[in-house]
Amino acid sequence: MDNQLIERIVAEIEKRMKKSVLLALTPAPGYQDEICQRINTFSHIRFSLFVTTQAQVSHDLSKWRHLGEMHNASEFDCQQLSTYHALFVPYFDKKLVGEIINGLFISEEGKLIHSALAQNIPVIALPYFCQPESELNEILGLNKNKEYNLLIQENISRLKSMGIMFYPINDVEANLINYDVSHQVKPEYKPEIKQENNNRYITLNEVMNKPGEYHLSQDKLTDSAIEYLKSLKN
Protein backbone atom coordinates (compact mmCIF):
# COMPACT_ATOMS: atom_id res chain seq x y z
CA MET A 1 0.00 0.00 0.00
CA ASP A 2 1.66 3.26 -1.13
CA ASN A 3 1.63 6.54 0.79
CA GLN A 4 -0.84 8.24 -1.55
CA LEU A 5 -3.40 5.49 -1.06
CA ILE A 6 -2.92 5.65 2.72
CA GLU A 7 -3.41 9.42 2.66
CA ARG A 8 -6.63 9.07 0.65
CA ILE A 9 -7.96 6.46 3.08
CA VAL A 10 -7.10 8.64 6.07
CA ALA A 11 -8.72 11.68 4.42
CA GLU A 12 -11.89 9.70 3.71
CA ILE A 13 -12.06 8.43 7.30
CA GLU A 14 -11.59 11.96 8.66
CA LYS A 15 -14.33 13.21 6.32
CA ARG A 16 -16.77 10.56 7.51
CA MET A 17 -16.02 11.37 11.16
CA LYS A 18 -17.14 14.97 10.70
CA LYS A 19 -20.74 15.94 11.43
CA SER A 20 -22.82 16.26 8.27
CA VAL A 21 -24.71 19.58 8.26
CA LEU A 22 -27.00 21.12 5.64
CA LEU A 23 -26.42 24.87 5.27
CA ALA A 24 -29.36 26.84 3.87
CA LEU A 25 -27.90 29.70 1.83
CA THR A 26 -30.33 32.64 1.59
CA PRO A 27 -29.97 36.36 0.78
CA ALA A 28 -29.06 38.83 3.53
CA PRO A 29 -28.93 42.63 3.93
CA GLY A 30 -25.39 42.59 5.37
CA TYR A 31 -22.46 40.64 6.79
CA GLN A 32 -22.53 38.28 3.78
CA ASP A 33 -18.79 38.04 3.18
CA GLU A 34 -17.86 38.20 6.87
CA ILE A 35 -20.10 35.28 7.78
CA CYS A 36 -18.99 33.32 4.74
CA GLN A 37 -15.34 33.75 5.67
CA ARG A 38 -15.99 32.66 9.25
CA ILE A 39 -17.93 29.55 8.23
CA ASN A 40 -15.00 28.60 6.02
CA THR A 41 -13.00 28.08 9.23
CA PHE A 42 -15.39 25.42 10.58
CA SER A 43 -13.02 22.51 10.15
CA HIS A 44 -14.97 19.87 12.10
CA ILE A 45 -18.13 19.94 9.99
CA ARG A 46 -18.91 18.40 6.60
CA PHE A 47 -21.27 20.81 4.86
CA SER A 48 -23.75 20.42 2.04
CA LEU A 49 -25.46 23.55 0.73
CA PHE A 50 -29.13 24.18 0.02
CA VAL A 51 -29.04 27.23 -2.28
CA THR A 52 -32.23 29.22 -2.77
CA THR A 53 -33.06 30.83 -6.09
CA GLN A 54 -32.52 34.32 -4.66
CA ALA A 55 -29.22 33.31 -3.06
CA GLN A 56 -27.89 32.25 -6.44
CA VAL A 57 -28.20 35.89 -7.50
CA SER A 58 -27.13 37.69 -4.30
CA HIS A 59 -24.11 35.56 -3.31
CA ASP A 60 -20.83 34.84 -5.05
CA LEU A 61 -21.21 31.06 -5.06
CA SER A 62 -17.53 30.55 -5.84
CA LYS A 63 -16.83 31.54 -2.22
CA TRP A 64 -19.11 28.77 -0.97
CA ARG A 65 -18.60 25.99 -3.47
CA HIS A 66 -15.56 24.40 -1.82
CA LEU A 67 -17.49 23.88 1.45
CA GLY A 68 -19.39 20.95 0.00
CA GLU A 69 -21.91 19.70 -2.50
CA MET A 70 -24.44 22.30 -3.64
CA HIS A 71 -28.14 21.56 -4.13
CA ASN A 72 -30.50 23.96 -5.88
CA ALA A 73 -33.57 24.47 -3.69
CA SER A 74 -35.94 23.61 -6.54
CA GLU A 75 -34.34 20.16 -6.89
CA PHE A 76 -33.79 19.27 -3.23
CA ASP A 77 -35.82 16.43 -1.70
CA CYS A 78 -36.69 17.35 1.90
CA GLN A 79 -36.76 13.67 2.80
CA GLN A 80 -32.96 13.83 2.58
CA LEU A 81 -32.92 15.94 5.75
CA SER A 82 -32.84 12.78 7.86
CA THR A 83 -29.30 12.12 6.61
CA TYR A 84 -27.98 15.33 8.22
CA HIS A 85 -27.02 15.96 11.82
CA ALA A 86 -28.51 19.49 11.72
CA LEU A 87 -29.78 22.32 9.53
CA PHE A 88 -27.83 25.59 9.75
CA VAL A 89 -29.43 28.88 8.62
CA PRO A 90 -26.84 31.68 8.90
CA TYR A 91 -29.02 34.43 7.36
CA PHE A 92 -32.27 34.07 9.36
CA ASP A 93 -34.19 37.34 8.81
CA LYS A 94 -37.42 38.83 10.21
CA LYS A 95 -39.39 37.80 7.14
CA LEU A 96 -38.47 34.20 7.83
CA VAL A 97 -39.46 34.59 11.50
CA GLY A 98 -42.96 35.67 10.46
CA GLU A 99 -43.27 32.91 7.89
CA ILE A 100 -42.40 30.11 10.32
CA ILE A 101 -44.45 31.53 13.22
CA ASN A 102 -47.57 31.73 11.05
CA GLY A 103 -47.14 28.25 9.60
CA LEU A 104 -46.74 29.56 6.05
CA PHE A 105 -44.98 27.71 3.24
CA ILE A 106 -43.94 30.61 1.02
CA SER A 107 -40.17 30.73 0.51
CA GLU A 108 -37.90 27.84 -0.40
CA GLU A 109 -36.03 28.20 2.89
CA GLY A 110 -39.31 28.39 4.83
CA LYS A 111 -40.49 25.08 3.38
CA LEU A 112 -37.12 23.52 4.26
CA ILE A 113 -37.26 24.72 7.88
CA HIS A 114 -40.86 23.52 8.30
CA SER A 115 -39.80 20.12 7.02
CA ALA A 116 -36.81 20.02 9.39
CA LEU A 117 -39.00 20.90 12.39
CA ALA A 118 -41.57 18.28 11.40
CA GLN A 119 -38.80 15.65 11.28
CA ASN A 120 -37.25 16.90 14.56
CA ILE A 121 -34.01 17.84 12.80
CA PRO A 122 -32.04 20.40 14.86
CA VAL A 123 -32.23 23.90 13.33
CA ILE A 124 -29.48 26.33 14.31
CA ALA A 125 -29.42 29.96 13.16
CA LEU A 126 -27.48 33.18 13.63
CA PRO A 127 -29.45 35.95 15.42
CA TYR A 128 -27.99 39.03 13.71
CA PHE A 129 -30.69 39.49 11.08
CA CYS A 130 -33.82 39.04 13.20
CA GLN A 131 -32.86 40.16 16.72
CA PRO A 132 -33.89 43.84 17.04
CA GLU A 133 -30.97 44.66 19.37
CA SER A 134 -28.27 43.26 17.07
CA GLU A 135 -25.53 45.56 15.83
CA LEU A 136 -26.63 45.04 12.22
CA ASN A 137 -30.21 46.18 12.87
CA GLU A 138 -28.86 49.15 14.83
CA ILE A 139 -26.65 50.13 11.89
CA LEU A 140 -29.57 49.76 9.47
CA GLY A 141 -31.84 51.79 11.78
CA LEU A 142 -34.33 48.95 12.11
CA ASN A 143 -34.69 48.85 15.91
CA LYS A 144 -36.30 52.21 16.74
CA ASN A 145 -39.82 51.00 17.58
CA LYS A 146 -39.84 49.47 21.08
CA GLU A 147 -43.31 47.93 20.79
CA TYR A 148 -42.46 46.34 17.45
CA ASN A 149 -39.16 45.06 18.87
CA LEU A 150 -41.05 43.36 21.70
CA LEU A 151 -43.35 41.65 19.19
CA ILE A 152 -40.34 40.32 17.27
CA GLN A 153 -38.76 39.11 20.52
CA GLU A 154 -41.95 37.28 21.45
CA ASN A 155 -41.99 35.57 18.05
CA ILE A 156 -38.34 34.57 18.45
CA SER A 157 -39.21 33.03 21.82
CA ARG A 158 -41.91 31.01 20.07
CA LEU A 159 -39.39 29.85 17.47
CA LYS A 160 -37.10 28.67 20.27
CA SER A 161 -39.96 26.69 21.79
CA MET A 162 -40.41 24.97 18.41
CA GLY A 163 -36.78 23.88 18.38
CA ILE A 164 -34.95 26.63 16.48
CA MET A 165 -31.76 27.63 18.33
CA PHE A 166 -30.04 30.99 17.88
CA TYR A 167 -26.32 31.21 18.64
CA PRO A 168 -23.65 33.86 18.00
CA ILE A 169 -21.09 32.88 15.39
CA ASN A 170 -18.48 32.02 18.06
CA ASP A 171 -20.72 29.25 19.46
CA VAL A 172 -22.15 27.78 16.27
CA GLU A 173 -19.52 25.18 15.38
CA ALA A 174 -19.44 23.66 18.88
CA ASN A 175 -23.24 23.45 19.00
CA LEU A 176 -23.50 21.96 15.52
CA ILE A 177 -21.04 19.27 16.59
CA ASN A 178 -22.33 18.53 20.09
CA TYR A 179 -26.10 18.97 19.74
CA ASP A 180 -28.08 15.90 20.73
CA VAL A 181 -31.75 16.13 19.79
CA SER A 182 -32.69 13.31 22.16
CA HIS A 183 -31.46 15.27 25.19
CA GLN A 184 -32.47 18.79 24.22
CA VAL A 185 -35.10 20.36 26.45
CA LYS A 186 -37.01 22.96 24.46
CA PRO A 187 -37.97 26.18 26.30
CA GLU A 188 -41.62 26.32 27.15
CA TYR A 189 -43.65 28.99 25.40
CA LYS A 190 -46.92 30.14 26.93
CA PRO A 191 -49.25 31.02 24.03
CA GLU A 192 -52.32 33.18 24.42
CA ILE A 193 -55.33 31.01 25.25
CA LYS A 194 -58.69 32.69 24.90
CA GLN A 195 -60.60 31.29 27.82
CA GLU A 196 -62.09 32.79 30.92
CA ASN A 197 -59.86 31.52 33.69
CA ASN A 198 -56.92 32.73 35.75
CA ASN A 199 -54.44 30.08 34.63
CA ARG A 200 -53.35 31.57 31.33
CA TYR A 201 -50.54 34.09 30.80
CA ILE A 202 -51.25 37.76 30.09
CA THR A 203 -49.83 38.57 26.67
CA LEU A 204 -48.11 41.62 25.22
CA ASN A 205 -51.13 42.49 23.06
CA GLU A 206 -53.44 42.58 26.08
CA VAL A 207 -51.09 44.87 28.01
CA MET A 208 -50.58 47.18 25.01
CA ASN A 209 -54.35 47.51 24.54
CA LYS A 210 -55.03 48.36 28.21
CA PRO A 211 -51.70 49.25 29.90
CA GLY A 212 -53.43 50.93 32.83
CA GLU A 213 -54.95 47.64 34.00
CA TYR A 214 -51.64 45.79 34.51
CA HIS A 215 -48.59 46.27 36.73
CA LEU A 216 -45.10 44.73 36.94
CA SER A 217 -45.75 42.77 40.13
CA GLN A 218 -48.75 41.01 38.60
CA ASP A 219 -48.54 37.23 38.18
CA LYS A 220 -48.53 35.48 34.81
CA LEU A 221 -47.22 38.26 32.57
CA THR A 222 -45.25 37.08 29.56
CA ASP A 223 -41.62 38.28 29.32
CA SER A 224 -42.47 40.65 26.48
CA ALA A 225 -45.40 42.11 28.47
CA ILE A 226 -43.07 42.76 31.41
CA GLU A 227 -40.54 44.49 29.15
CA TYR A 228 -43.29 46.66 27.69
CA LEU A 229 -44.47 47.80 31.12
CA LYS A 230 -40.88 48.58 32.07
CA SER A 231 -40.50 50.71 28.95
CA LEU A 232 -43.55 52.77 29.96
CA LYS A 233 -41.90 53.61 33.28
CA ASN A 234 -38.64 54.75 31.65
Side-chain angles (χ1 to χ4, degrees), residues 58-81:
S58 62
H59 287 276
D60 181 356
L61 296 186
S62 65
K63 296 179 180 179
W64 295 91
R65 200 173 302 279
H66 71 280
L67 275 180
E69 184 180 5
M70 285 189 169
H71 304 275
N72 289 336
S74 59
E75 302 171 353
F76 186 79
D77 182 1
C78 287
Q79 293 303 315
Q80 297 179 35
L81 278 168

Side-chain angles (χ1 to χ4, degrees), residues 108-125:
E108 294 167 326
E109 59 269 31
K111 294 173 184 176
L112 179 72
I113 293 169
H114 278 301
S115 184
L117 292 173
Q119 297 179 54
N120 207 25
I121 306 296
V123 180
I124 292 178

